[in-house]
Amino acid sequence: MSQASQPLPPLSGGALVLATVALSLATFMNVLDTTIANVSIPTISGDVGVSASQGTWVITSFAVANAISVPLTGWLTQRIGQVKLFVSSIVLFVIASLLCGMSTSLEMLIAARVLQGAVAGPMIPLSQALLLQSYPKAKSAMALAMWSMTTLVAPVLGPILGGWISDNYTWPWIFYINIPVGLGAAWLTWRLMRTRESATRKLPIDGVGLALLVLGVGALQVMLDKGKELDWFASGEVVTLAVVAVVALSFLVVWELTDKHPVVDLTLFKRRNFATGVVSVSLAYGLFFGIVVLMPLWLQQFMGYTATWAGLVTAPIGIFALLLSPFVGRILPRTDPRLIASFAFIVFATTAFMRAGFNTDADMMAIVIPQLVQGAAMATFFIPLTALTLSGLPPERIPAAAGLSNFFRITAGGMGASISTTMWDDRAAMHHAHLVEHITAYDAPTTQALQGMSALGLDPAQAMGMIERQVTRQAYMLSATDLFWAAGILFLALTALIWLSRPVTNKMDSSAAGGAH
């Protein structure tokens, strides 16, 4: 063992402020990169000479590599050390970002994105662990609040910033902007924390577990990302990926629970609060992310919004998230986190029900208000559930727990996006069929509409085309409201799930700081 496993004193003064900035910047850069490329895919695809569907591999390659590396955080930390692993990840992320921007072909860009996603994996869990380690126990909840602000705002800003850069500069700059941010964060972190390295030990490499993890998670992530495009289980490719994922992940669970040095510590799920926290945060994040993906699609495809305006209309979600996070950090140590999380789920449900009242005449203010209110749920959702998940854990298990928790959250987000967009199309097809049943020569409103369009000079084919577009628009609106109703009901159900966890008292340290010192 390379270091004595002794509790480290917290940082203070300017060193604490700078450490918080460095760790938050690294997290912000990482999370931003998961969404910033999404709106730039058409531009990137055209520039490297491929179709837009091929261009989506720029997103998929990052997601697959990232999903595989996140749960490895605990194992890598024990071999390398928290600080060295974190700083190395940032530096490699910067190099990968440079390579992404310099790419002249799709193959080169995908290879760089795989590297970027792989080295990004440990950054978020370790930033969590290092931040908790740097703050006094009494202020660890505030540390979580500061950390969560970056993870809440970055996904919202990503598409807006990506679209603006692509429109006003060239797409490589969505990657080049990481270079100064990453180098600054790495330098600050090393200067402030190189003497605060965690204990390390020479662990044998669990080759079987690692191979099963790569195979299972890789197949699952590709299936989620490409399933809708390939028509899900109507595609032999998707069926194959699903079988590989189920078999590999099933063997992984059995192997990791019996191996002496598992690459992923699944025994964490024996702790009731960890299991309940992970399931709650994953399900809630999946529902939330499904709505986050659905809203801009609906606005752009059926409400006439440009990509920039769709981003701006959905951006107010970050306002209350930023304003309330410090407040939540202050009250968390003396409040049951289950109460705060329950409030978050009720607000999530309320905003979902508000959106369920949308129609195709909804103006900008009607769309903005639920986004604004949902910011309060964001601030009161992530912090208490993270605290609950990590409560009572010894310091050496925090990186593994944070890595595993983030892995399930990220995977649930991918599932939420895939399920919501697929169900949106499926329900829209059903509503379209029902609406079309009423469009007949004997239907008075239809006849009246056709006569009105004929008076405007449209021939019958043009008039029917306009009616078809209106029917499609209404069908997708009805489908979206179905999903909003379902999301609201599921969020209410989560308020019951969270109470299966044990209460976190001050003795157990409600901010999870007890596991960080």
Side-chain angles (χ1 to χ4, degrees):
M1 193 172 283
S2 65
Q3 302 270 346
S5 184
Q6 296 294 329
L8 291 166
L11 295 174
S12 60
L16 182 60
V17 173
L18 289 174
T20 303
V21 170
L23 295 169
S24 298
L25 276 176
T27 304
F28 184 84
M29 173 183 71
N30 184 318
V31 178
L32 188 75
D33 248 58
T34 61
T35 58
I36 195 170
N38 294 14
V39 294
S40 305
I41 291 301
T43 306
I44 295 171
S45 302
D47 201 41
V48 298
V50 298
S51 66
S53 62
Q54 289 174 302
T56 58
W57 280 103
V58 174
I59 300 169
T60 303
S61 55
F62 179 92
V64 170
N66 189 246
I68 291 169
S69 62
V70 168
L72 294 174
T73 302
W75 180 77
L76 288 171
T77 298
Q78 291 184 70
R79 285 184 66 91
I80 301 171
Q82 288 185 26
V83 179
K84 286 179 185 173
L85 179 58
F86 184 71
V87 173
S88 299
S89 295
I90 298 175
V91 173
L92 289 170
F93 190 89
V94 168
I95 293 170
S97 298
L98 179 64
L99 293 174
C100 286
M102 293 171 61
S103 297
T104 55
S105 67
L106 181 64
E107 292 77 15
M108 184 179 174
L109 180 55
I110 288 174
R113 284 286 277 177
V114 168
L115 174 62
Q116 193 183 39
V119 300
M123 286 168 62
I124 292 178
L126 286 180
S127 66
Q128 233 175 329
L130 289 170
L131 201 60
L132 284 170
Q133 182 192 89
S134 303
Y135 273 71
K137 287 186 179 183
K139 294 187 177 179
S140 290
M142 186 58 70
L144 280 176
M146 296 297 103
W147 180 87
S148 70
M149 286 165 68
T150 58
T151 61
L152 297 176
V153 175
V156 177
L157 287 183
I160 300 171
L161 186 58
W164 185 81
I165 289 173
S166 296
D167 289 343
N168 294 280
Y169 295 94
T170 54
W171 66 263
W173 282 99
I174 67 177
F175 300 112
Y176 289 153
I177 60 172
N178 292 332
I179 296 172
V181 176
L183 291 177
W187 180 78
L188 270 177
T189 303
W190 184 249
R191 283 290 304 270
L192 294 167
M193 295 191 165
R194 65 181 184 272
T195 59
R196 301 171 63 82
E197 188 58 273
S198 62
T200 59
R201 54 187 179 137
K202 296 292 183 183
L203 291 173
I205 296 174
D206 176 17
V208 174
L210 185 58
L212 289 170
L213 178 73
V214 171
L215 188 62
V217 173
L220 175 65
Q221 195 65 45
V222 172
M223 186 189 79
L224 291 174
D225 279 17
K226 308 300 286 185
K228 187 171 184 291
E229 180 186 325
L230 298 172
D231 196 20
W232 289 105
F233 294 102
S235 161
E237 187 177 335
V238 171
V239 172
T240 302
L241 287 168
V243 170
V244 170
V246 169
V247 172
L249 292 175
S250 298
F251 275 104
L252 176 69
V253 171
V254 175
W255 181 268
E256 296 300 89
L257 289 175
T258 55
D259 192 70
K260 288 183 179 179
H261 301 284
V263 74
V264 181
D265 185 6
L266 296 178
T267 60
L268 284 162
F269 282 100
K270 292 179 180 178
R271 305 179 70 94
R272 186 195 293 183
N273 280 13
F274 179 82
T276 307
V278 167
V279 172
S280 298
V281 79
S282 299
L283 291 175
Y285 190 77
L287 289 170
F288 161 74
F289 204 72
I291 293 173
V292 165
V293 169
L294 195 62
M295 284 296 294
L297 288 175
W298 171 63
L299 291 172
Q300 290 177 71
Q301 292 180 23
F302 300 106
M303 296 296 286
Y305 285 70
T306 63
T308 302
W309 274 105
L312 291 173
V313 167
T314 54
I317 196 173
I319 295 174
F320 277 137
L322 277 173
L323 294 176
L324 293 178
S325 289
F327 171 73
V328 175
R330 281 197 298 271
I331 67 168
L332 184 58
R334 51 183 189 274
T335 310
D336 189 334
R338 297 175 300 176
L339 279 173
I340 302 175
S342 296
F343 170 79
F345 292 150
I346 290 169
V347 175
F348 271 131
T350 301
T351 56
F353 292 142
M354 289 170 72
R355 294 188 185 99
F358 283 172
N359 56 49
T360 51
D361 294 325
D363 59 18
M364 188 178 293
M365 188 54 65
I367 295 165
V368 165
I369 289 174
Q371 294 294 118
L372 190 65
V373 174
Q374 188 165 293
M378 294 301 299
T380 51
F381 150 66
F382 207 73
I383 303 169
L385 285 179
T386 301
L388 185 73
T389 302
L390 302 180
S391 62
L393 285 169
E396 65 273 12
R397 301 192 78 182
I398 288 283
L404 202 54
S405 173
N406 277 284
F407 162 71
F408 278 97
R409 179 180 60 82
I410 292 166
T411 303
M415 286 183 163
S418 296
I419 291 169
S420 65
T421 52
T422 300
M423 289 187 66
W424 189 42
D425 285 339
D426 290 347
R427 298 286 300 176
M430 182 202 73
H431 283 297
H432 187 280
H434 290 165
L435 291 170
V436 167
E437 290 173 0
H438 298 283
I439 300 175
T440 68
Y442 306 103
D443 182 61
T446 302
T447 305
Q448 195 172 13
L450 287 171
Q451 289 172 349
M453 284 183 274
S454 177
L456 293 172
L458 299 180
D459 61 39
Q462 290 172 325
M464 287 305 297
M466 286 190 68
I467 289 177
E468 165 62 22
R469 283 192 292 274
Q470 189 60 243
V471 168
T472 300
R473 189 178 181 220
Q474 294 294 339
Y476 273 92
M477 180 74 263
L478 290 169
S479 178
T481 57
D482 288 346
L483 295 182
F484 294 144
W485 275 115
I489 293 167
L490 290 172
F491 273 123
L492 290 178
L494 284 176
T495 59
L497 176 64
I498 196 64
W499 289 93
L500 295 177
S501 61
R502 290 192 175 95
V504 178
T505 63
N506 285 331
K507 287 182 180 179
M508 291 173 65
D509 194 13
S510 66
S511 61
H517 295 275

